PDB file of all heavy atoms in Angstrom:
ATOM      1  N   LEU A  43     -14.272  -2.182   9.730  1.00 78.00           N
ATOM      2  CA  LEU A  43     -15.029  -0.941   9.973  1.00 78.00           C
ATOM      3  C   LEU A  43     -16.496  -1.082   9.559  1.00 78.00           C
ATOM      4  O   LEU A  43     -17.405  -0.555  10.220  1.00 78.00           O
ATOM      5  CB  LEU A  43     -14.367   0.216   9.220  1.00 78.00           C
ATOM      6  CG  LEU A  43     -13.035   0.714   9.806  1.00 78.00           C
ATOM      7  CD1 LEU A  43     -12.404   1.748   8.870  1.00 78.00           C
ATOM      8  CD2 LEU A  43     -13.245   1.302  11.196  1.00 78.00           C
ATOM      9  N   ASN A  44     -16.753  -1.785   8.465  1.00 78.00           N
ATOM     10  CA  ASN A  44     -18.135  -2.018   8.051  1.00 78.00           C
ATOM     11  C   ASN A  44     -18.905  -2.822   9.112  1.00 78.00           C
ATOM     12  O   ASN A  44     -20.070  -2.540   9.430  1.00 78.00           O
ATOM     13  CB  ASN A  44     -18.167  -2.751   6.712  1.00 78.00           C
ATOM     14  CG  ASN A  44     -18.066  -1.799   5.529  1.00 78.00           C
ATOM     15  OD1 ASN A  44     -18.278  -0.590   5.673  1.00 78.00           O
ATOM     16  ND2 ASN A  44     -17.719  -2.331   4.355  1.00 78.00           N
ATOM     17  N   MET A  45     -18.244  -3.866   9.652  1.00 82.00           N
ATOM     18  CA  MET A  45     -18.893  -4.689  10.693  1.00 82.00           C
ATOM     19  C   MET A  45     -19.169  -3.844  11.951  1.00 82.00           C
ATOM     20  O   MET A  45     -20.228  -3.957  12.578  1.00 82.00           O
ATOM     21  CB  MET A  45     -17.991  -5.883  11.033  1.00 82.00           C
ATOM     22  CG  MET A  45     -17.874  -6.893   9.900  1.00 82.00           C
ATOM     23  SD  MET A  45     -16.689  -8.206  10.294  1.00 82.00           S
ATOM     24  CE  MET A  45     -17.496  -8.955  11.715  1.00 82.00           C
ATOM     25  N   LEU A  46     -18.215  -2.986  12.300  1.00 82.00           N
ATOM     26  CA  LEU A  46     -18.407  -2.115  13.471  1.00 82.00           C
ATOM     27  C   LEU A  46     -19.582  -1.159  13.250  1.00 82.00           C
ATOM     28  O   LEU A  46     -20.399  -0.927  14.135  1.00 82.00           O
ATOM     29  CB  LEU A  46     -17.118  -1.337  13.740  1.00 82.00           C
ATOM     30  CG  LEU A  46     -17.172  -0.336  14.916  1.00 82.00           C
ATOM     31  CD1 LEU A  46     -17.446  -1.072  16.228  1.00 82.00           C
ATOM     32  CD2 LEU A  46     -15.867   0.445  15.009  1.00 82.00           C
ATOM     33  N   ALA A  47     -19.682  -0.622  12.006  1.00 79.00           N
ATOM     34  CA  ALA A  47     -20.778   0.300  11.704  1.00 79.00           C
ATOM     35  C   ALA A  47     -22.120  -0.397  11.817  1.00 79.00           C
ATOM     36  O   ALA A  47     -23.115   0.165  12.319  1.00 79.00           O
ATOM     37  CB  ALA A  47     -20.584   0.884  10.302  1.00 79.00           C
ATOM     38  N   GLU A  48     -22.189  -1.667  11.345  1.00 80.00           N
ATOM     39  CA  GLU A  48     -23.451  -2.413  11.436  1.00 80.00           C
ATOM     40  C   GLU A  48     -23.853  -2.634  12.901  1.00 80.00           C
ATOM     41  O   GLU A  48     -25.016  -2.503  13.281  1.00 80.00           O
ATOM     42  CB  GLU A  48     -23.290  -3.748  10.722  1.00 80.00           C
ATOM     43  CG  GLU A  48     -23.249  -3.631   9.202  1.00 80.00           C
ATOM     44  CD  GLU A  48     -23.039  -4.974   8.531  1.00 80.00           C
ATOM     45  OE1 GLU A  48     -22.982  -5.994   9.264  1.00 80.00           O
ATOM     46  OE2 GLU A  48     -22.934  -5.005   7.301  1.00 80.00           O
ATOM     47  N   GLU A  49     -22.859  -3.020  13.707  1.00 81.00           N
ATOM     48  CA  GLU A  49     -23.156  -3.249  15.137  1.00 81.00           C
ATOM     49  C   GLU A  49     -23.621  -1.964  15.814  1.00 81.00           C
ATOM     50  O   GLU A  49     -24.557  -1.966  16.617  1.00 81.00           O
ATOM     51  CB  GLU A  49     -21.915  -3.806  15.831  1.00 81.00           C
ATOM     52  CG  GLU A  49     -21.574  -5.227  15.418  1.00 81.00           C
ATOM     53  CD  GLU A  49     -20.330  -5.733  16.122  1.00 81.00           C
ATOM     54  OE1 GLU A  49     -19.804  -4.975  16.989  1.00 81.00           O
ATOM     55  OE2 GLU A  49     -19.898  -6.857  15.837  1.00 81.00           O
ATOM     56  N   LEU A  50     -22.938  -0.849  15.484  1.00 82.00           N
ATOM     57  CA  LEU A  50     -23.351   0.431  16.071  1.00 82.00           C
ATOM     58  C   LEU A  50     -24.760   0.807  15.636  1.00 82.00           C
ATOM     59  O   LEU A  50     -25.548   1.348  16.424  1.00 82.00           O
ATOM     60  CB  LEU A  50     -22.355   1.528  15.657  1.00 82.00           C
ATOM     61  CG  LEU A  50     -20.986   1.492  16.322  1.00 82.00           C
ATOM     62  CD1 LEU A  50     -20.059   2.554  15.702  1.00 82.00           C
ATOM     63  CD2 LEU A  50     -21.116   1.725  17.828  1.00 82.00           C
ATOM     64  N   GLU A  51     -25.100   0.521  14.384  1.00 79.00           N
ATOM     65  CA  GLU A  51     -26.431   0.855  13.884  1.00 79.00           C
ATOM     66  C   GLU A  51     -27.509   0.063  14.633  1.00 79.00           C
ATOM     67  O   GLU A  51     -28.551   0.600  15.027  1.00 79.00           O
ATOM     68  CB  GLU A  51     -26.514   0.590  12.384  1.00 79.00           C
ATOM     69  CG  GLU A  51     -27.817   1.078  11.753  1.00 79.00           C
ATOM     70  CD  GLU A  51     -27.820   0.897  10.246  1.00 79.00           C
ATOM     71  OE1 GLU A  51     -27.121  -0.001   9.740  1.00 79.00           O
ATOM     72  OE2 GLU A  51     -28.534   1.668   9.576  1.00 79.00           O
ATOM     73  N   VAL A  52     -27.240  -1.242  14.827  1.00 81.00           N
ATOM     74  CA  VAL A  52     -28.202  -2.086  15.562  1.00 81.00           C
ATOM     75  C   VAL A  52     -28.342  -1.609  17.008  1.00 81.00           C
ATOM     76  O   VAL A  52     -29.443  -1.491  17.550  1.00 81.00           O
ATOM     77  CB  VAL A  52     -27.761  -3.571  15.510  1.00 81.00           C
ATOM     78  CG1 VAL A  52     -28.626  -4.394  16.464  1.00 81.00           C
ATOM     79  CG2 VAL A  52     -27.859  -4.098  14.091  1.00 81.00           C
ATOM     80  N   LEU A  53     -27.191  -1.337  17.660  1.00 84.00           N
ATOM     81  CA  LEU A  53     -27.240  -0.869  19.051  1.00 84.00           C
ATOM     82  C   LEU A  53     -27.989   0.463  19.166  1.00 84.00           C
ATOM     83  O   LEU A  53     -28.789   0.661  20.086  1.00 84.00           O
ATOM     84  CB  LEU A  53     -25.808  -0.709  19.590  1.00 84.00           C
ATOM     85  CG  LEU A  53     -25.055  -2.004  19.896  1.00 84.00           C
ATOM     86  CD1 LEU A  53     -23.593  -1.692  20.239  1.00 84.00           C
ATOM     87  CD2 LEU A  53     -25.727  -2.731  21.077  1.00 84.00           C
ATOM     88  N   TYR A  54     -27.735   1.344  18.235  1.00 83.00           N
ATOM     89  CA  TYR A  54     -28.378   2.660  18.292  1.00 83.00           C
ATOM     90  C   TYR A  54     -29.891   2.543  18.062  1.00 83.00           C
ATOM     91  O   TYR A  54     -30.693   3.206  18.736  1.00 83.00           O
ATOM     92  CB  TYR A  54     -27.763   3.588  17.243  1.00 83.00           C
ATOM     93  CG  TYR A  54     -28.246   5.018  17.357  1.00 83.00           C
ATOM     94  CD1 TYR A  54     -27.774   5.837  18.365  1.00 83.00           C
ATOM     95  CD2 TYR A  54     -29.192   5.521  16.457  1.00 83.00           C
ATOM     96  CE1 TYR A  54     -28.218   7.145  18.479  1.00 83.00           C
ATOM     97  CE2 TYR A  54     -29.649   6.822  16.563  1.00 83.00           C
ATOM     98  CZ  TYR A  54     -29.168   7.642  17.579  1.00 83.00           C
ATOM     99  OH  TYR A  54     -29.621   8.929  17.704  1.00 83.00           O
ATOM    100  N   ALA A  55     -30.282   1.667  17.140  1.00 80.00           N
ATOM    101  CA  ALA A  55     -31.720   1.467  16.895  1.00 80.00           C
ATOM    102  C   ALA A  55     -32.406   0.923  18.145  1.00 80.00           C
ATOM    103  O   ALA A  55     -33.512   1.339  18.521  1.00 80.00           O
ATOM    104  CB  ALA A  55     -31.912   0.522  15.709  1.00 80.00           C
ATOM    105  N   GLY A  56     -31.745  -0.037  18.811  1.00 80.00           N
ATOM    106  CA  GLY A  56     -32.313  -0.579  20.049  1.00 80.00           C
ATOM    107  C   GLY A  56     -32.425   0.478  21.135  1.00 80.00           C
ATOM    108  O   GLY A  56     -33.402   0.525  21.893  1.00 80.00           O
ATOM    109  N   LEU A  57     -31.376   1.326  21.204  1.00 83.00           N
ATOM    110  CA  LEU A  57     -31.395   2.399  22.198  1.00 83.00           C
ATOM    111  C   LEU A  57     -32.536   3.374  21.921  1.00 83.00           C
ATOM    112  O   LEU A  57     -33.243   3.814  22.833  1.00 83.00           O
ATOM    113  CB  LEU A  57     -30.043   3.117  22.198  1.00 83.00           C
ATOM    114  CG  LEU A  57     -29.898   4.282  23.188  1.00 83.00           C
ATOM    115  CD1 LEU A  57     -30.069   3.780  24.616  1.00 83.00           C
ATOM    116  CD2 LEU A  57     -28.544   4.966  23.018  1.00 83.00           C
ATOM    117  N   GLU A  58     -32.726   3.717  20.651  1.00 79.00           N
ATOM    118  CA  GLU A  58     -33.821   4.629  20.301  1.00 79.00           C
ATOM    119  C   GLU A  58     -35.182   4.027  20.679  1.00 79.00           C
ATOM    120  O   GLU A  58     -36.067   4.710  21.189  1.00 79.00           O
ATOM    121  CB  GLU A  58     -33.783   4.925  18.796  1.00 79.00           C
ATOM    122  CG  GLU A  58     -32.769   5.977  18.397  1.00 79.00           C
ATOM    123  CD  GLU A  58     -32.953   6.387  16.949  1.00 79.00           C
ATOM    124  OE1 GLU A  58     -33.287   5.518  16.122  1.00 79.00           O
ATOM    125  OE2 GLU A  58     -32.782   7.586  16.663  1.00 79.00           O
ATOM    126  N   GLN A  59     -35.347   2.710  20.409  1.00 81.00           N
ATOM    127  CA  GLN A  59     -36.602   2.044  20.748  1.00 81.00           C
ATOM    128  C   GLN A  59     -36.831   2.072  22.263  1.00 81.00           C
ATOM    129  O   GLN A  59     -37.942   2.336  22.740  1.00 81.00           O
ATOM    130  CB  GLN A  59     -36.556   0.592  20.249  1.00 81.00           C
ATOM    131  CG  GLN A  59     -37.789  -0.236  20.601  1.00 81.00           C
ATOM    132  CD  GLN A  59     -39.033   0.252  19.886  1.00 81.00           C
ATOM    133  OE1 GLN A  59     -38.943   0.903  18.841  1.00 81.00           O
ATOM    134  NE2 GLN A  59     -40.195  -0.025  20.456  1.00 81.00           N
TER     135      GLN A  59
END
Side-chain angles (χ1 to χ4, degrees):
L43 287 173
N44 275 343
M45 292 175 63
L46 178 62
E48 287 178 3
E49 290 180 4
L50 287 174
E51 187 176 27
V52 170
L53 287 172
Y54 187 75
L57 180 61
E58 280 190 324
Q59 177 67 23

